[in-house]
């Protein structure tokens, strides 16, 4: 059985990428977005690390490869979960889905920018 440490990967994202020293522009109201790829259940806990990211205002998407049970992905992604989970039956299928996934991500980012600019302005 493969060892997947998705929780550890999420912690790594928070501590190494979504920081001002790593180039995060959250203070300039740039949307913070993480896209997690996984092909199976994690060997560690994902819910606390994912919640910590969401608490920092990071939007999380998950792209599953051959995922049959979505409980863990729902613990990872932003809400409502059905808007942030994508699943394909094999890696090659990602090529066909990428434009749809990117369209969703960009639309959500635009909406977040508009909402932030209304609050700030």
């Amino acid at each position: 059985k493969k060892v997947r440490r998705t929780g550890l990967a999420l912690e790594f994202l928070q501590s190494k990428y979504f920081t001002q020293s790593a180039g995060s522009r959250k203070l300039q109201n740039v949307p913070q977005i993480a896209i997690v790829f996984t092909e199976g259940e994690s060997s560690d806990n994902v819910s606390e690390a994912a919640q910590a990211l969401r608490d920092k205002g990071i939007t999380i998407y998950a792209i599953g490869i051959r995922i049959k049970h979505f409980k863990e992905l729902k613990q990872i992604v932003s809400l409502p979960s059905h808007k942030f989970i994508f699943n394909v039956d094999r890696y090659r299928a990602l090529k066909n889905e990428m434009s749809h996934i990117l369209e969703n991500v960009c639309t959500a980012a635009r909406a977040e920018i508009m909402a932030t600019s209304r609050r700030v302005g």
Side-chain angles (χ1 to χ4, degrees):
K1 181 180 175 179
K2 288 185 180 180
V3 175
R4 293 180 188 88
R5 291 192 169 92
T6 309
L8 185 62
L10 293 170
E11 290 173 11
F12 180 82
L13 280 175
Q14 180 179 346
S15 66
K16 301 294 182 191
Y17 283 91
F18 289 105
T19 64
Q20 194 169 357
S21 62
S24 171
R25 293 186 293 147
K26 180 180 180 167
L27 296 176
Q28 290 82 26
N29 296 317
V30 174
Q32 306 294 287
I33 299 170
I35 302 175
V36 177
F37 289 80
T38 185
E39 63 176 347
E41 193 171 326
S42 183
S43 303
D44 61 359
N45 185 301
V46 299
S47 59
E48 290 178 21
Q51 186 63 52
L53 284 169
R54 290 191 304 270
D55 288 347
K56 287 181 75 172
I58 298 163
T59 303
I60 308 172
Y61 289 83
I63 300 175
I65 313 298
R66 293 182 299 273
I67 301 296
K68 293 182 179 24
H69 305 287
F70 293 89
K71 179 182 176 187
E72 187 172 83
L73 293 184
K74 288 178 180 180
Q75 291 175 359
I76 295 171
V77 300
S78 297
L79 296 174
S81 61
H82 70 275
K83 291 186 176 184
F84 298 94
I85 294 175
F86 299 90
N87 192 41
V88 294
D89 59 356
R90 56 184 200 270
Y91 282 100
R92 284 187 169 179
L94 275 175
K95 182 179 177 183
N96 298 330
E97 289 294 318
M98 282 313 292
S99 62
H100 173 68
I101 293 167
L102 289 173
E103 182 179 320
N104 281 1
V105 171
C106 291
T107 299
R110 267 194 301 277
E112 189 174 327
I113 290 168
M114 296 299 291
T116 301
S117 65
R118 281 193 292 271
R119 286 193 303 265
V120 172

